[in-house]
């Protein structure tokens, strides 16, 4: 680290969190510290090891080794997957956190290039000395913030963003560089230590080009043809004048409307009126962003004093003063009327222990579904949209899980041959109704009903068995975790009273069951 | 009594779950008298079922097949059963046709094709539409097939089938669709179904059978099931009564060779044999040889095998004419006729080998001659056979690729849904060669064997072992017929282009008494031929195998020192350790050397007694005086397979036929189970005849060890001859030998680097790859070896012709590119290998230049880079490192040389210094790991061979030390070993490891050849 007593302000800063995947994993699994640990992209035997703890490295494991082979070498190796999606989410969360320290933060992996790697950030440190005393204190605050959240990091201040970046990746702690020192120090860095891919480092190393300084001694225009565009880009980024302007993140404002009621009110009509205007505002914001609302979250903030069921005044605790309701329509929509209909139904159901003094309405949005057409080739005429809306109203009142669709499943056992899944999106109606067949109604029991033994070969039935068709045998399931196989013999019992019972004898339980009635 | 019509074995790949033998045994046990085996799309299992049924004698085996017939764009099932020989021929041709159409492993035929081959065939189908479609071509030979499995759809289906049959005046027959021999095998059938359709048990749904009723029922249960329609059973019985064909009806004749006018196969064979004898014995054929030849020719004539010998002679003659080295191996080396015809190279009369081991009237089995051919030219010989006999009269014998422990574990585990990483661990730990799955394996992998899923995994994996996975080609076995082979057995295309394969493997072919010709590739013959070529201008050197001087003392002396890198059969670590103890002095010593370092003698604990007796440390005694003639040659210790068989007869009371069955069981794959059944009988027989019980048990241990590794004496002799020739060449012409060996890679036990280093240690100069001097192959240059381009990684067959044809001198890279059109990848590889150093270009400078070559339209042309920078030269030790990285060897030094100063400072000896240390001295040695071995006979001991610039060190790592240093032992390229020197009486030195540690060796790539 080098600085003078009254150094001019440094214009660039970089933050690097080394082996971020591994750090994330060890934060989740602190008991693994000190053990051989490896991060993998997934847990399949062919997945390569991505990042390793020091104990794992000391045992001879290396990044790139297959997980199956690694386990064979080190039986104590602990592994977990941190895939790209989780990495990106963690990187984004860290970037969000760093905006506390600078209004301009850019993820290094936000721009494709040879230096793009997760866990590194560019920050604009200018103008912050006044808040922190000096820039070094600012840098220490950043470092301390990350340490407080359990992350190891390196923070570098300088004047060249990419040199700061590589210095941060190769170092630890907080360092401040003046331009010449920054240049000189960066030149000594081994290319492999600054996160460059082996496909760039390897061929360069063959020529004895091991450091950034070695690389910059070559001519950039001679690099492209020999080592590819990435090598040339790297040369340019690390050269004097290779700085690129920071592309800071833009915070995304949430969709939200807040209203204060003056005076506070518990009157449903008034609340509905206020709510309607809020919904219109929210929808306007949504339309402006070319999005569609998929859910609304309504928070009621109530007055401190309300009435109990007997009408006596009582003070509400804090948790009672805030009530949150969430509504999701059948399909994302911008239609105010549809939203209002749903809210009216919901308002009619909820109890408000005190007048509402404020409400906040937030929206979750998605990209609009372009397919707005509904096939109308139905006979007899049906209105699937109305059906969908009707079901959405049922779900609004009774809850989402109250509406489901029966889907077939490939299985031998009758009870396993269908499953109920919650309705997603529009109601799945067939293009045309089939011609009514000769239907025989079969009322199948969701769960077979045990039957008492009868006098002879059959179970007890409400009337005597005139005839029996069968058996139809089902057996299997020997592979189940509880190792309880299935062995059933099914019969159709024609009863004297005209009913037909579909029964089976369960050999494992030595019991008769009724599975369906026919007729 | 009705029989079973529709039975599939596990040779219906991934449909059935029981072997043909299990099915036959079970059917017989339950009282069935007739059973038809109808494997899908072929007759893969029929011979085994036939042999087993004949052994039992109570059950008639009816051959058949199940086919998919396309009708209305839908494949539908048809079973076919031949009535007579013509029906069988039609069935084989139809199946062949079906395989030519579909993807590998499946056969689809059309209704028209079935109709065209319908003659003399009975047919049954469960498909009503197909019943309708085939009614006219088959007439009353076609039946509807009723299979009742208590499925919900059975009733409706049967009603439809009856209706169609009645409308067309056809009968119905009844048979379950048998998929396994016993209901307890049902889980395995579920598993193989999932493997076949690519799903797991949890997701398979209705793709699995709905119940366990696909086993062989009792006849009583079968009758009860069809009690409502007893006529079905009578019709089934009548159906099978019309199927009279059996595999014993196959009359096979060997193809007739073209004969000179007036000659018969026997007379022509006799003439050629006598001509060959005169040539072999320089015109003076000894009387005993003559008598032997007459005896053999008489047997050959009686058995009508003359044509086979003529075919082998013709193939050998073709090889000789084309300059392709070849040599017969195996029991054929027992035959004087084969020796005189030039098929084999060992004089059996001089060696006292037994002709009856090869051919005898009593066994009446066809001869089986394996011909080793130079591995690089074997394909030429195969194409010659195809050309001479035609594709319909020559087809390759199949090889059933069977589930072994690892493959079975992986398949079953995937289907069960076992965690993938756990499965990977188990599979890696499982023995490569079998042994099944047990609790110990789970424990080793850190898994609980009692978990239900693991119990299923163990049981089903063990059930799946040995089941066929798919059909492959036997490496070189040909079935030749005087008639088209596809009238004898169906033929199907092999994966390899230009190959067709019959549906029977070598065991099936042998069981039916068919003739098989085995053409095998052997790297040692390639190496020998290439050595002769390199020596062609040296008048003092041999130029053919017969010119190699016999009984060369220097050669035997070299072998006795264990100095045998590259020598065929005696170059392994174990052989090198044995040679100084056995110290071969004559040819027969080499025969024993080749045979003794094998699991058979090792497990039978015969090795040490033989060695002690050889040096006089122990008296030569015989377990029984009757055994002296059998064991005299090997000092009272059984070493060869024939000796064990003779012991079984003389000492164990076996008949010749039983002894032959023992030999077969020893040779069969997965022989462990088959051999055990001989244990009690054999040992009891020996003990009853006065043999010491301990000796009897050791003989049986040896039999167990023989398993797949049994060496007949004749086979050992054939191999010993090649061992001697390669040893002679190595001893007297080390440069040519090493050069030829390098040009014959991949083969043998050692890497190119070890071969080069060994040659250098023996005074051979090895010159580096040089753009101005090298060609593709390594070559001799003024008595030195000039390394060739073939060894550079990144250069392949594409670059070979342009580099071989490159006019020299080249002088610069532009010229090189202009003349060859080499791409950047090839140029970079050459630059890194140092090939451009003759131009004064260091490797880095050359690399910079190579990467900078510009081109037009995407190709590299002749424009050099605008700037040529000067890069730092490689340090000598780095040059060696680069050599290893780019070409797997170095002529400039050994990788360990770079560390020598550091190692000396730490008092780590060099290998030659360690070899001079006294017994018991403790030391710490560091070397490059070149082999790792964990033999199955060694109870967990691991053998390592480490190398430095001065030679090898053999390291013994006991199991506990290995486990304590497992990671290091398995992964280190350069390894440190702390231990104690063990010096044997014969001077063989080992380092017994007590501790291992990794030695950081930078980017040195591993060159270890790891076995097991």
């Amino acid at each position: 680290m080098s600085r003078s007593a009254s150094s001019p302000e440094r214009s660039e800063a970089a933050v690097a969190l080394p082996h971020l995947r591994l750090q994330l994993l060890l934060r989740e699994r602190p008991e693994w510290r000190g053990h051989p640990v490896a991060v993998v992209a997934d847990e399949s035997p062919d997945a390569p090891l991505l990042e390793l703890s020091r104990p794992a490295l000391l045992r001879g494991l290396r990044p790139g080794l297959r997980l199956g082979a690694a386990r064979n070498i080190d039986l104590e190796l602990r592994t977990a997957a941190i895939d790209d999606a989780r990495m990106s989410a963690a990187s984004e969360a860290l970037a969000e956190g760093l905006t506390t320290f600078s209004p301009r933060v850019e993820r290094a992996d936000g721009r494709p290039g040879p230096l793009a790697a997760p866990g590194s950030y560019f920050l604009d440190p200018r103008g912050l000395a006044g808040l922190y005393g000096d820039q070094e204190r600012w840098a220490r605050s950043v470092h301390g913030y990350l340490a407080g959240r359990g992350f190891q990091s390196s923070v570098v201040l300088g004047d060249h963003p990419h040199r700061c970046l590589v210095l941060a990746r190769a170092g630890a702690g907080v360092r401040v560089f003046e331009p010449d020192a920054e240049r000189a120090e960066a030149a000594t860095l081994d290319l492999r230590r600054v996160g460059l891919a082996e496909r760039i480092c390897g061929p360069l190393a063959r020529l004895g080009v091991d450091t950034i300084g070695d690389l910059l001694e070559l001519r950039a225009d001679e690099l492209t043809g020999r080592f590819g565009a990435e090598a040339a880009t790297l040369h340019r980024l690390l050269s004097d004048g290779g700085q690129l302007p920071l592309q800071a993140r833009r915070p995304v404002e949430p969709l939200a409307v807040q209203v204060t009621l003056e005076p506070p009110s518990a009157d449903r009509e008034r609340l509905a009126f206020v709510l309607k205007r809020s919904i219109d505002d929210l929808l306007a914001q949504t339309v402006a962003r070319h999005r569609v609302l998929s859910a609304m979250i309504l928070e009621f903030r109530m007055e401190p004093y309300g009435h109990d069921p007997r009408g006596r005044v009582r003070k509400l605790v804090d948790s009672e003063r805030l009530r949150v309701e969430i509504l999701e329509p059948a399909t994302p929509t911008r239609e105010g009327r549809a939203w209002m209909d749903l809210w009216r139904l919901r308002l009619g159901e909820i109890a408000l222990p005190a007048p509402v003094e404020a409400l906040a309405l937030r929206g979750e949005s998605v990209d609009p579904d372009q397919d707005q057409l509904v096939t109308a080739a139905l006979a007899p005429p049906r209105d699937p949209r109305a059906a969908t809306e009707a079901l959405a109203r049922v779900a609004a009142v009774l809850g989402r899980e109250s509406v489901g669709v029966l889907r077939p499943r490939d299985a031998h056992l009758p009870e396993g041959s269908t499953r109920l899944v919650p309705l997603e999106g529009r109601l799945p109606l067939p293009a045309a109704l089939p011609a009514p067949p000769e239907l025989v109604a079969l009322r199948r029991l969701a769960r077979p009903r045990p039957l008492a033994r009868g006098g002879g070969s059959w179970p007890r039935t409400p009337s005597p068995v005139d005839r029996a068709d069968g058996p139809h045998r089902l057996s299997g399931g020997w592979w189940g975790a509880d190792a309880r196989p299935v062995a059933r013999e099914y019969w159709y019992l024609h009863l004297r009273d005209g009913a037909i019972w579909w029964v089976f004898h369960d050999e494992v339980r030595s019991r008769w069951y009724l599975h369906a009635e026919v007729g | 009594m009705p029989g079973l019509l529709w039975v599939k074995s596990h040779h219906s790949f991934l449909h059935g779950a029981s072997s043909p033998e299990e099915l036959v045994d079970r059917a017989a046990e339950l009282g069935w008298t007739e059973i038809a085996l109808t494997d899908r799309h072929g007759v893969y299992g029929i011979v085994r079922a036939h042999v087993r049924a004949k052994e039992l004698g109570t059950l008639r085996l009816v051959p058949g097949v199940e086919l998919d017939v396309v009708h209305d764009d839908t494949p539908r099932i048809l079973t076919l059963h031949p009535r007579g020989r013509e029906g069988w021929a039609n069935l084989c041709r139809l199946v062949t046709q079906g395989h030519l159409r579909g993807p590998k492993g499946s056969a689809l035929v059309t209704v028209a094709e079935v109709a065209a081959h319908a003659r003399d065939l009975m047919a049954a189908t469960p498909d009503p539409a197909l019943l309708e479609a085939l009614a006219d071509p088959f007439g009353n030979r076609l039946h509807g097939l009723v299979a009742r499995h208590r499925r919900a759809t059975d009733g409706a289906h049967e009603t439809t089938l009856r209706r169609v049959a009645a409308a067309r005046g056809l009968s119905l027959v009844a048979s379950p669709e048998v998929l396994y021999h016993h209901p307890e095998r049902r889980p395995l059938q579920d598993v193989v179904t999932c493997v076949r359709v690519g799903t797991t048990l949890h997701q398979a749904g209705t793709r699995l059978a709905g119940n366990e009723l696909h086993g062989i029922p009792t006849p009583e249960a079968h009758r009860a099931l069809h009690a409502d329609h007893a006529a079905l059973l009578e019709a089934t019985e009548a159906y099978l009564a019309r199927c009279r064909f059996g595999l014993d009806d196959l009359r096979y004749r060997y193809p007739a060779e073209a004969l000179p006018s007036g000659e018969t196969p026997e007379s022509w064979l006799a003439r050629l044999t006598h001509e060959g004898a005169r040539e072999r014995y320089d015109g003076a054929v000894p009387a005993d040889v003559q008598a032997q030849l007459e005896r053999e020719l008489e047997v050959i004539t009686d058995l009508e095998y003359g044509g086979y010998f003529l075919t082998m002679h013709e193939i050998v003659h073709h090889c000789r004419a084309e300059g392709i080295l070849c040599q017969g191996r195996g029991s054929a080396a027992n035959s004087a006729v084969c020796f005189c015809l030039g098929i084999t190279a060992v004089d059996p009369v001089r060696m006292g080998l037994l002709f009856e081991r090869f051919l005898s009237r009593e066994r009446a089995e066809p001869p089986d001659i394996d011909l080793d051919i130079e591995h690089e030219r074997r394909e030429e010989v195969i194409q010659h056979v195809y050309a001479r006999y035609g594709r319909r009269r020559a087809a390759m014998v199949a090889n059933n690729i069977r589930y072994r422990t690892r493959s079975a574990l992986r398949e079953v585990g995937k289907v069960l849904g076992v965690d993938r990483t756990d499965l990977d661990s188990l599979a890696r730990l499982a023995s490569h060669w079998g042994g099944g799955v047990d609790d110990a394996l789970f424990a080793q992998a850190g898994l609980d064997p009692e978990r239900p899923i693991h119990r299923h995994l163990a049981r089903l994996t063990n059930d799946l072992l040995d089941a066929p996975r798919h059909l492959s080609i036997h490496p070189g076995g040909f079935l030749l017929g005087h008639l088209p082979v596809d009238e004898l057995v169906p033929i199907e295309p092999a994966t390899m282009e230009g190959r067709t394969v019959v549906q029977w493997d070598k065991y099936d072919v042998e069981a039916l008494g068919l003739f098989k010709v085995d053409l095998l590739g052997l790297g040692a013959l390639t190496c020998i031929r290439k050595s002769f070529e390199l020596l062609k201008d040296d008048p003092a050197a041999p130029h053919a195998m017969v010119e190699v001087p016999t009984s060369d003392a220097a050669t035997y002396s070299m072998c006795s020192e264990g100095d045998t890198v590259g020598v065929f059969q005696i170059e392994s670590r174990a052989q090198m350790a044995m040679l100084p103890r056995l110290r071969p002095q004559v040819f027969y010593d080499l025969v024993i050397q080749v045979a003794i370092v094998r699991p058979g003698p090792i497990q039978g604990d015969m090795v040490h007694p033989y060695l002690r007796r050889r040096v006089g440390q122990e008296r030569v005694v015989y377990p029984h005086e009757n055994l002296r003639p059998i064991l005299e040659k090997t000092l009272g210790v059984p070493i060869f397979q024939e000796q064990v068989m003779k012991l079984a007869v003389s000492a164990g009371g076996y008949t010749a036929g039983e002894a032959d069955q023992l030999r077969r069981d020893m040779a069969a794959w997965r022989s462990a189970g088959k051999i055990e059944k001989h244990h009690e009988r054999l040992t009891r027989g020996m003990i009853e005849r006065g043999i010491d019980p301990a000796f009897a048990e050791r003989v049986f241990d040896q039999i167990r060890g023989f398993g797949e590794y049994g060496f007949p004496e004749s086979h050992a002799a054939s191999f010993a001859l090649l061992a001697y020739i390669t040893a002679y060449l190595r001893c007297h012409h080390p440069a040519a030998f090493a050069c030829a060996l390098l040009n014959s890679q991949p083969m043998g036990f050692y890497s190119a680097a070890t071969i080069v280093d060994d040659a250098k240690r023996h005074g051979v100069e090895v010159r580096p790859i040089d753009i101005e001097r090298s060609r593709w192959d390594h070559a001799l240059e003024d008595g030195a070896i000039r390394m060739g381009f073939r060894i550079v990684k990144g250069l392949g067959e594409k670059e070979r012709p342009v580099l071989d044809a490159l006019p020299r001198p080249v002088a610069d890279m532009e010229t090189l590119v202009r003349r060859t059109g080499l791409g950047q990848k090839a140029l970079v590889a050459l630059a890194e290998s140092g090939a451009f150093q003759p131009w004064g270009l260091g490797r880095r400078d050359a690399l910079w230049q190579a990467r900078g070559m510009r081109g037009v339209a995407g190709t590299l042309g002749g424009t050099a880079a605008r700037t040529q920078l000067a890069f730092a030269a490689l340090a000598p030790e780095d040059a060696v490192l680069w050599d290893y990285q780019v070409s797997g060897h170095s002529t400039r030094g050994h990788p360990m040389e770079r560390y020598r100063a550091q190692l000396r400072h730490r008092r780590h000896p060099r290998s030659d210094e360690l070899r001079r240390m006294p017994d018991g001295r403790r030391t710490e040695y560091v070397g490059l790991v070149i082999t790792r071995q964990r033999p199955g006979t060694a109870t967990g001991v691991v053998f390592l061979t480490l190398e430095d610039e001065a030679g090898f060190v053999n390291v013994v790592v006991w199991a506990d030390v290995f486990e304590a240093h497992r990671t290091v032992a398995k992964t280190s390229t350069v390894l440190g070993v702390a231990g104690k020197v063990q010096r044997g009486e014969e001077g063989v030195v080992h380092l017994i490891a007590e501790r291992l540690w990794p030695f950081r060796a930078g980017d040195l790539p591993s060159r270890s050849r790891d076995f097991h």
Side-chain angles (χ1 to χ4, degrees), chain A residues 71 206 222 226 410 412 475, chain B residues 206 208 212 421 865 867 885:
Chain A
R71 283 203 189 284
R206 288 305 248 186
E222 294 275 9
R226 287 177 168 82
D410 180 24
H412 282 292
S475 68
Chain B
T206 54
L208 300 179
E212 79 287 8
T421 310
T867 60
Q885 289 168 345

Side-chain angles (χ1 to χ4, degrees), chain B residues 351-599:
Chain B
M351 287 203 57
L353 301 177
L354 189 64
F355 175 68
E356 282 69 24
R357 168 71 181 81
F358 173 57
L359 204 59
S360 74
R361 287 188 183 83
E362 291 72 26
R363 287 210 323 267
E365 281 177 0
D368 185 9
I369 300 178
D370 296 344
L371 192 68
D372 282 325
I373 301 168
E374 295 182 38
H375 71 332
E376 287 184 1
R377 301 189 67 183
R378 187 180 74 115
E379 185 61 26
E380 292 174 47
V381 183
I382 287 175
Q383 292 305 321
H384 166 75
V385 173
Y386 272 129
R388 186 171 173 85
Y389 294 96
R391 294 267 165 184
R392 284 192 74 197
R393 291 199 302 138
M396 298 201 77
V397 172
N399 184 24
N400 276 298
I401 303 299
R402 294 177 181 273
Y403 277 102
R404 300 202 177 198
T405 307
R406 277 188 185 168
S407 51
L409 254 177
R410 288 193 192 277
E411 298 270 41
V412 175
K414 206 163 135 184
V415 160
L416 281 169
V418 174
D419 174 79
R420 286 173 71 177
T421 310
D422 289 346
L423 198 56
D424 197 57
S425 295
L426 283 168
R428 284 174 165 275
L429 288 167
S431 161
H432 184 69
W433 294 108
V437 173
D438 55 19
D439 287 0
L441 181 66
F442 283 97
Q444 206 175 352
L447 301 171
D448 178 7
E450 291 306 312
R451 278 186 67 199
I453 196 171
H454 294 156
R455 285 208 301 275
H456 290 319
L457 179 63
R459 179 171 58 93
L460 291 164
T461 299
N462 292 332
D463 280 349
L464 189 60
L465 290 180
D466 291 359
R469 275 175 96 180
H470 59 264
L471 209 66
S472 176
I473 303 185
H474 186 280
F478 266 98
L479 185 65
L480 305 178
H482 79 291
L483 291 174
V485 173
D486 66 355
E487 292 181 9
L488 184 67
V489 55
I491 299 175
E492 53 184 80
T495 311
M496 190 172 167
E497 200 177 324
R499 293 270 204 275
T500 49
V501 59
V502 301
Q503 291 185 341
W504 291 336
D505 65 15
K506 67 172 186 172
Y507 302 108
D508 297 332
V509 165
E510 279 170 19
L512 291 179
L514 306 178
F515 289 84
K516 180 170 63 69
V517 171
D518 273 315
L519 306 175
L520 306 169
L522 192 63
L525 287 172
T526 304
C527 174
I528 291 171
R529 198 239 323 145
K530 289 189 176 182
S531 297
F532 292 149
E533 273 177 18
L534 287 167
L535 292 169
K536 67 179 186 296
D537 294 327
D538 180 356
H543 304 119
M545 288 183 11
V546 296
E547 295 178 14
V548 174
T550 56
S551 306
D552 179 67
T555 300
Y556 286 114
S557 175
M558 180 191 79
C559 293
S560 297
E561 296 303 314
D563 185 14
T564 52
V565 169
V567 177
F568 181 62
Q569 286 293 303
I570 56 171
E571 62 173 336
S572 70
R573 172 212 53 82
Q575 289 281 1
M576 281 186 179
M578 182 67 63
L579 282 162
R581 301 170 67 187
L582 195 142
R583 302 199 72 82
Q585 301 299 314
V586 296
F587 181 71
Y588 198 75
D589 291 342
L590 272 185
V591 176
I592 292 181
Q593 176 74 36
V594 164
I596 203 168
V597 184
R598 293 277 154 193

Side-chain angles (χ1 to χ4, degrees), chain A residues 417-483:
Chain A
S417 58
T418 56
R419 63 190 172 112
L420 194 67
V421 300
L423 174 64
E424 299 270 358
R426 294 203 185 93
L427 192 65
L429 294 173
L433 285 173
E438 292 178 21
L439 289 175
V440 176
L442 185 143
R443 184 168 67 91
R444 198 189 84 193
L445 303 179
R447 287 194 184 283
R449 190 170 83 219
L451 297 173
R453 285 194 181 282
S457 310
W458 307 117
R460 192 181 301 165
T461 52
S463 69
V465 177
D466 276 348
R467 194 177 98 228
D469 292 332
H472 155 210
R473 185 170 177 80
L474 284 178
S475 68
W478 52 267
W479 54 86
D482 57 2

Side-chain angles (χ1 to χ4, degrees), chain A residues 28 183 418 436:
Chain A
E28 289 174 17
R183 189 183 300 108
T418 56

Side-chain angles (χ1 to χ4, degrees), chain B residues 819-859:
Chain B
R819 288 183 185 173
T820 61
L822 287 176
Q824 190 176 81
K825 185 173 164 226
L827 287 182
V828 165
L830 284 167
E832 291 187 338
S833 75
F836 300 134
Q837 278 183 244
W839 294 344
L841 272 180
R843 292 194 219 204
R844 286 184 169 139
D845 298 336
L847 195 52
W848 178 259
Q849 199 175 103
R851 283 188 175 274
M853 291 298 293
R854 300 282 186 269
V856 176
T859 62

Side-chain angles (χ1 to χ4, degrees), chain A residues 202-225:
Chain A
L204 286 169
R206 288 305 248 186
L207 293 171
V209 176
D210 296 310
T211 66
I212 290 176
D214 293 337
L215 178 69
L216 293 178
E217 283 181 23
L218 303 174
R219 284 170 50 148
D221 58 352
E222 294 275 9
L223 289 174
T224 305

